[in-house]
Amino acid sequence: VMGGEPEVMLDKALEALGGIGNFVKKGQKIVIKPNIGWDRSPELAGNTNPKLVKALVKKCLEAGASKVAVKEAGGIIMPANDEKYFKEVSIPGGVNLKSAKIHEALIEADAWINVPVLKNHGGAKMTCAMKNYMGIVWDRRFFHQNDLQQCIADICTWQKKPVLNIVDAYRIMHQNGPQGKSAADVATLKSLIASPNIVAIDTAALRLFNQVKKLDMAAVGHIGKGEALKLGTTNLDNVT
C-alpha cells in the first residue's frame, strides 16, 4: 500500500487481507513487536513509526483482544532489559541455532504481530521482518558469532510464528543503519507492506529498498536461507 499516512495505509492493507479479525480473535493476548531499539525521533526512521504502532494497537483492541502491548493506545509496554524476562526455548528447525532465550511475553501470548521498519543494517545489510526477530531474543552475541545470516533464518523457524508481518516503509533508512546519523540517511516512501509470509514480505521490502539504493538479494543472505528452511517464498509471482 502506498501514498498515505500510516493509519490509512494500515486500514487499506488489513482490508485487502480480509480484516484484522483474520489475525486477532476475541479474548486473545496479543504482542506487537515493533523495532524500537534506538533513541531516535520518527523523522530519522530508526524505529517503527509510532503512529503505525498506535493504529495497530487500536485495531487489535477493537477486534476484541484482551491485552495488547503499548500505552497511549490503551495497551501495555513490556520491559525487556533483563534476562529474567526471557525463557529458553528449543529451535529444532535451526541449522546453527538450536535454542534461544525468547521474551516471555511472546511465549505466553496467543498471537503476535511483527512490525519492523525497513532499514539498512551494517551486519545483516537489511533489517526488516526476519531480522526483527533478534529483538525477541536475549543473547544476540551468539548470532553475530555463529553466521548472523543463518541465525536470523534459524530463529524464524521458532514454532510460534507471527500471525502477520507489517513493514513500516513510510520512511526508510537507506544508509548508516541500523542507528542512522541524520536526515540524509532517510528516504520518505510513504509505503506499507503486509503479509503472513515472512520471506515474501522481506523480498518485497528489498525491492522497495532497491528503488532508493542498490542492494543485492545475495547480500541479504537470511532471506534465501529462510526460503531454504521453507519459511516462505522469494518468488512474488507465486503469492496472491
Side-chain angles (χ1 to χ4, degrees):
V1 184
M2 307 182 85
E5 289 305 295
E7 307 89 330
V8 180
M9 292 193 293
L10 178 64
D11 278 348
K12 294 286 183 197
L14 289 172
E15 204 178 293
L17 292 169
I20 188 75
N22 277 348
F23 309 102
V24 174
K25 309 296 178 206
K26 196 169 174 6
Q28 283 186 328
K29 190 188 287 185
I30 303 294
V31 168
I32 290 171
K33 169 62 183 84
N35 185 331
I36 43 173
W38 307 104
D39 180 10
R40 290 285 183 271
S41 68
E43 293 70 30
L44 295 176
N47 307 303
T48 304
N49 194 314
K51 286 184 177 173
L52 174 60
V53 177
K54 182 176 178 179
L56 184 58
V57 171
K58 287 187 162 174
K59 288 272 179 210
C60 290
L61 290 170
E62 282 164 17
S66 63
K67 249 188 181 176
V68 191
V70 132
K71 264 189 203 160
E72 194 183 317
I76 49 171
I77 292 176
M78 303 301 294
N81 57 345
D82 192 308
E83 196 169 352
K84 72 181 181 191
Y85 299 117
F86 294 77
K87 294 190 174 121
E88 189 92 17
V89 299
S90 169
I91 314 285
V95 176
N96 292 352
L97 188 72
K98 293 297 184 184
S99 70
K101 284 190 171 181
I102 288 182
H103 197 290
E104 63 188 7
L106 283 106
I107 294 169
E108 292 162 10
D110 295 303
W112 68 288
I113 301 174
N114 187 16
V115 198
V117 60
L118 176 56
K119 300 191 292 183
N120 159 251
H121 188 280
K125 305 307 174 198
M126 182 183 90
T127 170
C128 198
M130 292 179 70
K131 173 72 174 62
N132 202 35
Y133 264 80
M134 280 184 76
I136 72 171
V137 300
W138 177 253
D139 185 12
R140 292 185 284 276
R141 272 175 319 198
F142 181 89
F143 284 63
H144 289 282
Q145 292 162 356
N146 294 274
D147 186 349
L148 177 62
Q149 303 283 10
Q150 185 63 58
C151 284
I152 292 169
D154 288 353
I155 191 67
C156 293
T157 66
W158 180 45
Q159 59 172 19
K160 188 183 279 187
K161 298 187 173 46
V163 288
L164 188 60
N165 303 283
I166 301 170
V167 173
D168 168 23
Y170 188 87
R171 300 180 188 91
I172 74 161
M173 186 186 293
H174 56 82
Q175 61 191 15
N176 295 318
Q179 195 164 346
K181 291 177 179 171
S182 72
D185 301 329
V186 177
T188 301
L189 300 185
K190 290 198 174 184
S191 301
L192 181 143
I193 315 171
S195 175
N197 185 322
I198 200 164
V199 175
I201 203 168
D202 276 5
T203 303
L206 178 61
R207 286 191 186 178
L208 204 55
F209 192 95
N210 267 289
Q211 291 177 21
V212 179
K213 186 160 281 187
K214 186 85 184 97
L215 180 59
D216 288 334
M217 171 79 83
V220 191
H222 59 266
I223 299 179
K225 291 178 191 297
E227 184 171 44
L229 289 170
K230 301 194 167 31
L231 291 170
T233 180
T234 56
N235 185 346
L236 298 187
D237 295 334
N238 286 353
V239 185
T240 41

